[in-house]
Amino acid sequence: MEQRKSVTEEKKQNAVAIGEYLLEKLQAYNIKHVFGIPGDYVLSFYHLLEQSPIQHIGMTREDAAGYAADAYARVNGMGAVCITYCVGGLSMTNSIAGAYAEKSPVLVISGAPGMKEREKDPLLHHKVRSFLTQKLIYDQITVASALLDDPITAFDEIDRVFDSVARYKRPGYIELPRDMVDVKGRRHHRPAVSAAPSDPDVLRAAATEAVDFINASENPVILAGVELDRFGFQDKLLRLMETTNIPAAATLLGKSVIGEKHPLYLGIYEGAMGRFEVREFVESSDCVIILGAFMTDMNLGIYTANLDRGRSIYATSEKIAIKYHTYEDVTFNDFLDALLAAVIRQRQLPALPWLEGKKESVAIQPDSPMTVRRLFDILNAFIIDDMMIIADIGDSLFGSIDLKMHQRADFVSPAYYTSMGFAVPASIGAQLGRPDQRALVLVGDGAFQMTGMELSTSVRFGLNPIVIVLNNHGYGTERQLHEGAFNDIGEWHYSQLPAVLGSGRGFVVRTEGEFDFALKEALANTGSFTILDVQLDKLDRSPALMRLAEKLSKKL
Amino acid sequence: MEQRKSVTEEKKQNAVAIGEYLLEKLQAYNIKHVFGIPGDYVLSFYHLLEQSPIQHIGMTREDAAGYAADAYARVNGMGAVCITYCVGGLSMTNSIAGAYAEKSPVLVISGAPGMKEREKDPLLHHKVRSFLTQKLIYDQITVASALLDDPITAFDEIDRVFDSVARYKRPGYIELPRDMVDVKGRRHHRPAVSAAPSDPDVLRAAATEAVDFINASENPVILAGVELDRFGFQDKLLRLMETTNIPAAATLLGKSVIGEKHPLYLGIYEGAMGRFEVREFVESSDCVIILGAFMTDMNLGIYTANLDRGRSIYATSEKIAIKYHTYEDVTFNDFLDALLAAVIRQRQLPALPWLEGKKESVAIQPDSPMTVRRLFDILNAFIIDDMMIIADIGDSLFGSIDLKMHQRADFVSPAYYTSMGFAVPASIGAQLGRPDQRALVLVGDGAFQMTGMELSTSVRFGLNPIVIVLNNHGYGTERQLHEGAFNDIGEWHYSQLPAVLGSGRGFVVRTEGEFDFALKEALANTGSFTILDVQLDKLDRSPALMRLAEKLSKKL
């Protein structure tokens, strides 16, 4: 009897509530910050969250919290956002859709009406059509979703969603009814379902063909994509490059998957939008090894790329193909390992003349008006080792093509989904995820007006981003495609924001001299944000945008 | 031959493109303003829009455009918003979900990739999972949706969506691929499908029972809901009240469905949250005639209402019931008309002592610190005839219960869905829809930080809202339910916003004297917005919020 009682005691002590289990899992996945905004349906869980070692980062808007969690996931491996039912969750649909599109592993936790409250299907506040509306919407933009309506299955459901998010690097959705937060769940010893392994024969065949193909080629080249970063394969890439002396270009979405000062790094390949020399090098290669790249319109310079399948090896988490045929049942990881284990001959270091001796002068012309081109030239000299770039879309992104990132994974941008307003809130997630780095944010004036006030959150949590507003007085990219009054926006005095936010420094920049001065001041202002309102001509643009606009306007 | 040719000629001249037809329909439904933000997938349609008589109102964010279109729909009968694919449409999910929940007829027009571009299912920018993702999401939050992928059916599909929006007073979704904008469609003479008529026998039975019930009752009362406004039945309500002398209370969502200075108007009925006298009057009635009211938790004071079905008549667009039984096949409109056509006896004017002689003194105590209670007392004296109130949620809404609106339909608030951040963008739609009215916006500091920068759009279009920020330094309603650091937000200096936006006037208000002064200045400042940062104690609240919090915290 004595013994039995103590087992029961122990069981009782071990019983964990659903909300507590969720917090345990977050910590197990190295999540130290959760972004979000409270609301009455999620307050009980917020109460637990506050008592846990995880820090809650309150934002001004849910969509901004989604962007921050996305950026945090990109630099940390996984991110999480916690919001209330419908008014919170449905305000974040776009941010999570972007994370889905670009494979960023974000876990969404939503509070919800209690299961008991739902019984007679009453009209509770925040309900849209049915109590399932929000879940049905999230089913479209996540790889796994669960409504924790049963304590018997809740832990398994939580495990399933976390597993899927980690494996597919896409968002997952967990809906936690408020009357389930403190209910004890059941731990199962569910055998961990590991990813399906490669078929050894098929793997051998694929690797052999690939290695023979590479070894027989004259001038192979690697095209490195963002999945190398998402799956943590950057070291494998580097090893492949350095043991063989095969150089690599990166896609736009994969920018900074390798340190861009590496002598074997060619630059961004992006069809007609990218640098001519990089395009030449890649498209004239007789063996293009494409690793972890999504073949999106933006990555391919709006389909101006000219990549011949007959001369390529294509490997991602979703597909392994050589020339015109596909190998099923081979994982990306195993394929990469097989390449590294095989004997690929080492070549002479290739001649990359456009990279040599190219120390462009950035001598400041103090009275010259600022242009987009000069802005990026000057920034290239300004960037320091422990700085990451968070680029919004438009010329903030296109102009960045030629920025040289010093280290890996220090360039973050929604380069495929291209949702305006990503950068300022994302900088919060990125800086919290990598506190050793300072964030330099590049953002257009239109995008800043969407989410720039999130600097309020930077102030609250002591972050110090340098925000450069490329102020071309409207939706500049669209002006290139189709001009109309609808491309105009209100004129904000961005440099006055410190007066509203009670912190930070602001500068209006019209000339190179003013830009140089403001950048130096920004670097010295380590205690808060600095915002530079860089006044540009309405029609000024980077060379890449000029080329893009030409291509896009033909498709309208 | 000659004749045939000219018929063909005429046909050709009559041929209308899909984009043009859509613009014709918008105008046919009295839509003079379309809210939104352009993007490359919608630029061709924006080009047509710009050439039409409809004015495009560019906003800073899509969700704000959704709120503006919602408010416009509430005061104008229908509203429309036009945005680009996914990054635009999915940023607006919450606003449209709110319009669905509260029956606001908003038409969503989304640009989209062309049908030809979709053929091989490529990774085009802004695509999430499949090209249908956005439509599948909108299916959850609209009454009708259409992808205009075929010129043969496009006009019929457009008609169907407009019909549904007009009939059900809920949002509809139209997705316009960019290569279909200029394609000619076909006009059909589809017979207009009118709503199913009432069954005359059932209608007669229902009306007879209702009239007998009312005539036999001692102290009948009307509870008026928002559908009377949505369906334009305010005159019918007034006639019913004035011919019978039966007084009416309104639900919170139905506030201002009748002018609140009417001698037969009781006030807001809201269970334990509302005024005690109104509750007493309604709940002691032996015949409560509930017209067009949604029985939501907020409308019923979080279920503290005590309405006996055995003593009620319940009529909405979805249901007609008397006591415990329901009448099928009777429309709301026919039921109301039958009541008006019948002989309902006229009674003595009821005694409503709490409304008589109740001229509360609002004598300003110049040095008294501001409180929520005094803020609303003073506002009650300040409101003028041509002024409408746009209330955000929290105490901006609850405190408004006792504000007396002078005219009909001059109170706009998301009183059921309760999405924070509605009010400032909604004021733009409301003012454009009713240019004779001046908007007075009541908004908490948390809600203002979500969407308040939309004042930028007020500036652009010459609007002059008076914005009162109830600044209680955080999420005040939530503090009442569950206090924690997560209820804190950044401290903005709201009165400094004119420096950023280049227009407007700002005031910091700490005392009644300062409030009085700032209100007078605001009234005189007719050319731009005025913002009042009213500093309140962190824990101050209206009596209604105090009662609500007490009820809600028990449910957590």
Side-chain angles (χ1 to χ4, degrees), chain B residues 183-203:
Chain B
V183 174
K184 308 291 183 200
R186 284 204 200 164
R187 280 189 199 275
H188 289 241
H189 287 283
R190 200 177 64 127
V193 184
S194 57
S198 297
D199 179 304
D201 295 331
V202 184
L203 174 60

Side-chain angles (χ1 to χ4, degrees), chain A residues 38-39 47 50 60-61 63 123-126 129 139 142 297 416-418 450 456 478 482 485 492-493 500, chain B residues 38-39 47 50 60-61 63 123-126 129 139 142 297 416-418 450 456 478 482 485 492-493 500:
Chain A
H47 178 63
E50 198 175 33
T60 73
R61 301 179 42 90
D63 63 332
L123 291 175
L124 298 183
H125 63 289
H126 303 346
R129 188 189 314 219
D139 284 347
T142 54
D297 57 352
Y416 162 54
Y417 189 62
T418 51
M450 290 183 169
S456 168
E478 282 169 21
H482 198 123
W492 290 15
H493 303 289
V500 172
Chain B
H47 179 63
E50 198 175 34
T60 73
R61 302 179 42 89
D63 63 333
L123 291 174
L124 298 182
H125 62 289
H126 304 346
R129 187 188 316 216
D139 283 346
T142 55
D297 57 352
Y416 162 54
Y417 189 61
T418 51
M450 289 182 169
S456 169
E478 282 168 22
H482 198 125
W492 291 15
H493 303 288
V500 172

Side-chain angles (χ1 to χ4, degrees), chain B residues 199-213:
Chain B
D199 179 304
D201 295 331
V202 184
L203 174 60
R204 201 174 313 118
T208 304
E209 186 184 359
V211 170
D212 290 350
F213 182 18

Side-chain angles (χ1 to χ4, degrees), chain A residues 37-41 43-44 46-47 50 56 59-63 67 86-88 90-91 93-94 97 100-101 117 122-129 133 136-143 178 294-298 302-303 416-420 446 449-451 453 456 460 475 478 481-494 496-502 552 555-556, chain B residues 37-41 43-44 46-47 50 56 59-63 67 86-88 90-91 93-94 97 100-101 117 122-129 133 136-143 178 294-298 302-303 416-420 446 449-451 453 456 460 475 478 481-494 496-502 552 555-556:
Chain A
I37 296 180
D40 67 328
Y41 290 123
L43 281 178
S44 325
Y46 260 73
H47 178 63
E50 198 175 33
H56 171 252
M59 311 278 289
T60 73
R61 301 179 42 90
E62 285 90 355
D63 63 332
Y67 288 138
C86 288
V87 292
L90 299 184
S91 293
T93 323
N94 182 56
Y100 185 94
E117 293 172 276
L123 291 175
L124 298 183
H125 63 289
H126 303 346
K127 180 176 147 189
V128 186
R129 188 189 314 219
T133 300
L136 290 169
I137 286 175
Y138 270 89
D139 284 347
Q140 300 298 329
I141 54 175
T142 54
V143 277
R178 61 176 162 182
F294 306 157
M295 297 289 99
T296 74
D297 57 352
M298 285 291 169
I302 313 297
Y303 299 119
Y416 162 54
Y417 189 62
T418 51
S419 185
M420 281 173 72
Q449 291 193 7
M450 290 183 169
T451 57
M453 295 304 285
S456 168
R460 282 188 70 202
Y475 301 130
E478 282 169 21
L481 308 179
H482 198 123
E483 178 57 311
F486 46 75
N487 291 324
D488 298 336
I489 65 174
E491 197 66 53
W492 290 15
H493 303 289
Y494 305 96
Q496 297 298 308
L497 280 172
V500 172
L501 299 178
L552 275 188
K555 301 213 169 203
L556 281 180
Chain B
I37 295 179
D40 66 329
Y41 290 124
L43 281 177
S44 325
Y46 260 74
H47 179 63
E50 198 175 34
H56 171 253
M59 310 278 289
T60 73
R61 302 179 42 89
E62 285 91 354
D63 63 333
Y67 288 138
C86 288
V87 292
L90 299 184
S91 293
T93 323
N94 183 55
Y100 184 93
E117 294 172 275
L123 291 174
L124 298 182
H125 62 289
H126 304 346
K127 180 176 146 188
V128 186
R129 187 188 316 216
T133 300
L136 289 169
I137 286 176
Y138 270 91
D139 283 346
Q140 300 298 329
I141 55 176
T142 55
V143 276
R178 61 176 164 183
F294 306 158
M295 297 288 98
T296 74
D297 57 352
M298 285 290 171
I302 313 297
Y303 299 120
Y416 162 54
Y417 189 61
T418 51
S419 185
M420 281 173 72
Q449 292 193 7
M450 289 182 169
T451 56
M453 296 304 285
S456 169
R460 282 186 70 203
Y475 302 131
E478 282 168 22
L481 308 178
H482 198 125
E483 178 57 311
F486 45 76
N487 290 324
D488 298 335
I489 64 174
E491 198 65 54
W492 291 15
H493 303 288
Y494 305 97
Q496 297 297 310
L497 280 172
V500 172
L501 299 178
L552 275 187
K555 301 212 169 207
L556 281 179

